Amino acid sequence: NGMAGVRTLEELLKLAPDLYDITVFGAEPHPNYNRILLSPVLAGEQTLDQIVLNPWDWYSSHNICLHAGWTVTQVDRARRVVYAQSISGEKTSAEYDRLLMCTGSNAFMLPVPGKDLQGVLAYRDIADTQAMMEAATKYKHAVVIGGGLLGLEAANGLMLRGMQVTVVHVCPTLMERQLDATAATLLQQSLQARGLNFMMGAQTQALVGDATGDVVGVDAVERF
């Protein structure tokens, strides 16, 4: 039920609106939304409702059976049946003639000690964004591991929500895939002037927790 899957359905409905009875399974309890705009939501520039691409009534108006908040657990290709389970544990199944799998991806979590502590978040979906927004109301300090585009967007959003943010980046310059050293230096200087802090050329070694199991810090060593 992400951007690719629903976009495909939009095109299919244009070409052959009555060809299939369509069933959609999506693990998130939301209609289709624009993941690219999660950063403006975190920064307080947009709301979650504003980034919805296909609202609930779009599905019903096109006779699409949407299972939002249902995770597919098994696909029986011999019998052509999809099995799924809801957030509450309820189970269901749906037969198919054609199966379209648009599962997207999961964020990579650093394989370091402490990665499973409370307060360690990836940044991929609405739930991650809401968790960061909630954390900003309770805590003062945040560490963002990664000085690429998404990491800097997350850092900026958390800063705008009142947190003191440090970006830990393994390379000597920011956004090394997009910017040369001169442009990256100018970007870092501009972000520092706005209030962001940086640990450049630093390899994350571990995430440190307290007695309650919450993450409280990051151990990193300089590589350059």
Side-chain angles (χ1 to χ4, degrees):
N1 193 38
M3 296 173 68
V6 177
R7 177 62 176 166
T8 303
L9 292 183
E10 290 175 343
E11 294 301 317
L12 176 61
L13 290 168
K14 291 178 184 178
L15 295 171
D18 301 317
L19 182 59
Y20 293 108
D21 295 323
I22 301 172
T23 300
V24 176
F25 287 95
E28 293 185 72
H30 309 286
N32 178 41
Y33 63 91
N34 190 336
R35 293 183 188 276
I36 299 171
L37 296 180
L38 286 173
S39 294
V41 172
L42 179 62
E45 299 167 355
Q46 289 189 277
T47 67
L48 291 175
D49 289 339
Q50 290 175 323
I51 69 170
V52 170
L53 295 172
N54 301 82
W56 299 109
D57 58 6
W58 178 84
Y59 297 87
S60 58
S61 66
H62 290 87
N63 298 313
I64 296 173
C65 179
L66 172 63
H67 295 283
W70 289 75
T71 300
V72 172
T73 57
Q74 180 185 355
V75 176
D76 187 333
R77 294 182 61 197
R79 297 181 178 180
R80 295 193 172 190
V81 179
V82 172
Y83 298 90
Q85 182 171 314
S86 71
I87 297 173
S88 62
E90 186 181 357
K91 296 181 180 181
T92 191
S93 63
E95 297 180 351
Y96 68 87
D97 297 304
R98 295 289 184 269
L99 177 64
L100 180 63
M101 302 185 73
C102 300
T103 55
S105 61
N106 291 321
F108 173 74
M109 298 296 288
L110 290 177
V112 297
K115 65 182 179 64
D116 297 320
L117 291 169
Q118 292 292 324
V120 178
L121 303 170
Y123 191 16
R124 180 179 178 273
D125 56 26
I126 283 179
D128 299 328
T129 306
Q130 290 175 322
M132 285 190 282
M133 292 164 59
E134 182 179 356
T137 66
K138 299 178 180 179
Y139 305 103
K140 296 298 182 182
H141 301 274
V143 174
V144 174
I145 300 174
L149 178 59
L150 187 58
L152 295 179
E153 288 181 343
N156 180 66
L158 292 171
M159 181 185 66
L160 291 176
R161 290 188 175 272
M163 301 190 80
Q164 297 179 29
V165 183
T166 299
V167 177
V168 178
H169 192 45
V170 70
C171 294
T173 59
L174 297 173
M175 293 181 59
E176 67 282 350
R177 294 187 179 185
Q178 293 89 1
L179 304 178
D180 62 19
T182 301
T185 299
L186 293 173
L187 174 62
Q188 183 177 341
Q189 291 173 347
S190 175
L191 294 175
Q192 285 174 329
R194 297 183 186 185
L196 288 179
N197 303 303
F198 293 92
M199 292 179 59
M200 302 301 298
Q203 177 76 54
T204 300
Q205 299 294 298
L207 308 179
V208 183
D210 60 15
T212 66
D214 290 333
V215 63
V216 295
V218 175
D219 280 342
V221 296
E222 294 186 0
R223 297 178 67 243
F224 301 98

